[in-house]
Amino acid sequence: MSRALPKYNKRRVGLAGGAAAVALTGAVIAGTALAGESSEGGGADARTLAGPGTISCPDVASRLPAIPASAQDEVTRNLAQLDQQVAEANKRLVDTVGQGGPNFVQNAILGPLEDKRTATVNRIATAIGRTADRPAGLDSLATCSLDTQGDPAAPGQEETGGAEPSAPPTEDAGGDAGAGQGGNAGAGQGGDASGVGAISCPDVASQLPAIPASAQDEVTRNLAQLDQQVAEADKRLVDTVGQGGPNFVQNAILGPLEDKRIATVNRIATAIGRTADRPAGLDSLAACALTK
């Protein structure tokens, strides 16, 4: 038998070898993409990691004073809600791997989680404050962070966790402008002009009782913040057209807006309640809707 391969067999071996090389190269490229290790823009791709890390939050229970018996049930219920909020945020962190831009985790997960925690710790403080000294400073425990567990792509994740300040200030700037132009009305008109609708919220100011002089400045400041929050949400509605699934507006805009409004109306009620009867039922004015 001749040791030389026929020309046809040589070509077949060459083609097979070439195909194997292409397949191997494709596998390497695919593996690199899935690992978020692109040679360019690696930080922006960190969100595509299979292990996105976990969310870490300050412990609230250990920072509470003695809890009056009359408040124990309500405090326990709200502490459980804090745990549930973190569990839901961690689930969303896994479910949304690969979605959004470099600030997606901060804007769509950590930010809304902070708003929810702020509202919850305010409820805890209010429950204790009914029959004892209201604990101060619990709001400082609302902010959580993304723990990437030492992943090599941590710098990208740190950027999405808030080190990159570009996106939130942009929304704040838009909110200030909207609030200065009439808040809800200006923001709503902007939404309609873009054909995406506008966010409509119940009016809080008209539902307030007589405001004590000592609370007037704080109430005015928080009413302005409600307008700013709607302006920011309207701007986000325009900026994110076409993003996410069918529940994107509810989950990423209306839900977080409601959490912010709950925290704000609770601050209004607390300010009034220091020297007068605390207004009840303001939480029912927190939910907003999308109008076309």
Side-chain angles (χ1 to χ4, degrees):
M1 178 186 294
S2 172
R3 287 183 294 176
L5 289 170
K7 290 183 180 179
Y8 172 79
N9 287 340
K10 285 183 180 180
R11 282 200 304 272
R12 185 169 59 183
V13 170
L15 289 173
V22 170
L24 178 59
T25 302
V28 171
I29 293 173
T32 301
L34 288 174
E37 296 174 356
S38 172
S39 60
E40 297 181 2
D45 285 341
R47 65 187 181 278
T48 63
L49 291 171
T54 58
I55 291 171
S56 176
C57 303
D59 181 56
V60 174
S62 63
R63 302 290 293 275
L64 297 180
I67 301 170
S70 59
Q72 187 66 62
D73 287 347
E74 187 172 355
V75 170
T76 300
R77 185 165 61 249
N78 279 286
L79 288 174
Q81 195 168 64
L82 288 173
D83 290 339
Q84 180 181 341
Q85 290 163 358
V86 176
E88 291 171 351
N90 271 313
K91 181 177 185 301
R92 179 156 171 74
L93 190 65
V94 173
D95 291 346
T96 58
V97 168
Q99 292 186 20
N103 293 300
F104 178 83
V105 172
Q106 176 60 42
N107 294 341
I109 300 179
L110 291 179
L113 175 60
E114 180 176 354
D115 295 329
K116 290 179 180 180
R117 284 173 60 85
T118 298
T120 305
V121 297
N122 274 329
R123 288 195 294 272
I124 291 173
T126 298
I128 295 173
R130 291 193 186 103
T131 52
D133 290 339
R134 179 185 172 94
L138 292 187
D139 283 2
S140 65
L141 306 176
T143 303
C144 302
S145 60
L146 180 64
D147 180 5
T148 55
Q149 301 171 331
D151 194 281
Q157 289 288 6
E158 287 170 6
E159 180 179 354
T160 63
E164 174 58 59
S166 58
T170 299
E171 292 184 2
D172 289 342
D176 290 339
Q181 296 298 325
N184 294 16
Q189 290 168 4
D192 287 334
S194 301
V196 295
I199 292 172
S200 176
C201 303
D203 181 57
V204 174
S206 64
Q207 301 295 315
L208 297 180
I211 302 171
S214 60
Q216 187 65 62
D217 287 347
E218 187 172 354
V219 170
T220 300
R221 186 165 59 250
N222 279 286
L223 287 174
Q225 195 168 63
L226 289 173
D227 288 340
Q228 178 180 335
Q229 290 163 359
V230 178
E232 291 170 353
D234 268 316
K235 181 179 185 300
R236 181 156 171 73
L237 190 65
V238 174
D239 292 346
T240 58
V241 170
Q243 292 187 20
N247 296 310
F248 178 82
V249 171
Q250 178 60 46
N251 293 339
I253 300 179
L254 291 179
L257 174 60
E258 180 176 356
D259 294 328
K260 289 181 180 179
R261 285 173 60 86
I262 288 174
T264 306
V265 297
N266 274 329
R267 287 195 294 271
I268 291 173
T270 298
I272 295 173
R274 291 192 187 104
T275 53
D277 290 339
R278 179 185 172 95
L282 292 187
D283 283 3
S284 65
L285 305 175
C288 302
L290 178 64
T291 59
K292 293 293 185 179

